Amino acid sequence: MIFKLVGDGRPYPEHGTSNREWAQIPPRQVRLDSLITTKAMLDLHSLLAADSTFYGDLFPHVVQWRGELYLEDGLHRALRAALHQRSILHARVLELPS
């Protein structure tokens, strides 16, 4: 098992966090098996591209809501970590009030 659950959509409320605000959240370690994805499908071009982490934030974005961790952005990075047999990922975690 790679993820806790494969979801399809964001069950948490819209948070409106900008890229600049995400960048101010320090990355922390997150276990892959504690994450719930918000996307059920992935484009293999994104996963296998050599420059897939060149654009945008280097760290995945995770939203913590009601005690769960939702992988909002960075599914391809998380899968790459799993393919390299890593169980931990460094991600930015935004904590939303319940």
Side-chain angles (χ1 to χ4, degrees), residues 2 30-35 81-82 84-89:
I2 297 173
V30 177
R31 291 186 51 86
L32 289 175
D33 62 4
S34 70
L35 294 173
H84 285 95
Q85 299 184 4
R86 294 191 298 255
S87 60
I88 300 218
L89 180 71

Side-chain angles (χ1 to χ4, degrees), residues 10-81:
R10 300 173 183 174
Y12 48 86
E14 179 61 40
H15 53 76
T17 306
S18 70
N19 287 335
R20 182 176 299 247
E21 292 167 325
W22 274 109
Q24 294 178 9
I25 300 171
R28 71 179 206 204
Q29 291 185 346
V30 177
R31 291 186 51 86
L32 289 175
D33 62 4
S34 70
L35 294 173
I36 299 171
T37 70
T38 59
K39 296 178 187 172
M41 308 272 290
L42 174 71
D43 177 18
L44 281 177
H45 292 290
S46 296
L47 178 64
L48 302 174
D51 65 349
S52 68
T53 58
F54 183 74
Y55 301 101
D57 198 344
L58 292 177
F59 299 102
H61 296 173
V62 173
V63 174
Q64 183 174 355
W65 184 63
R66 294 188 175 171
E68 300 289 356
L69 296 172
Y70 295 93
L71 181 61
E72 181 173 275
D73 182 51
L75 179 58
H76 61 289
R77 289 178 183 89
L79 282 174
R80 276 188 168 190

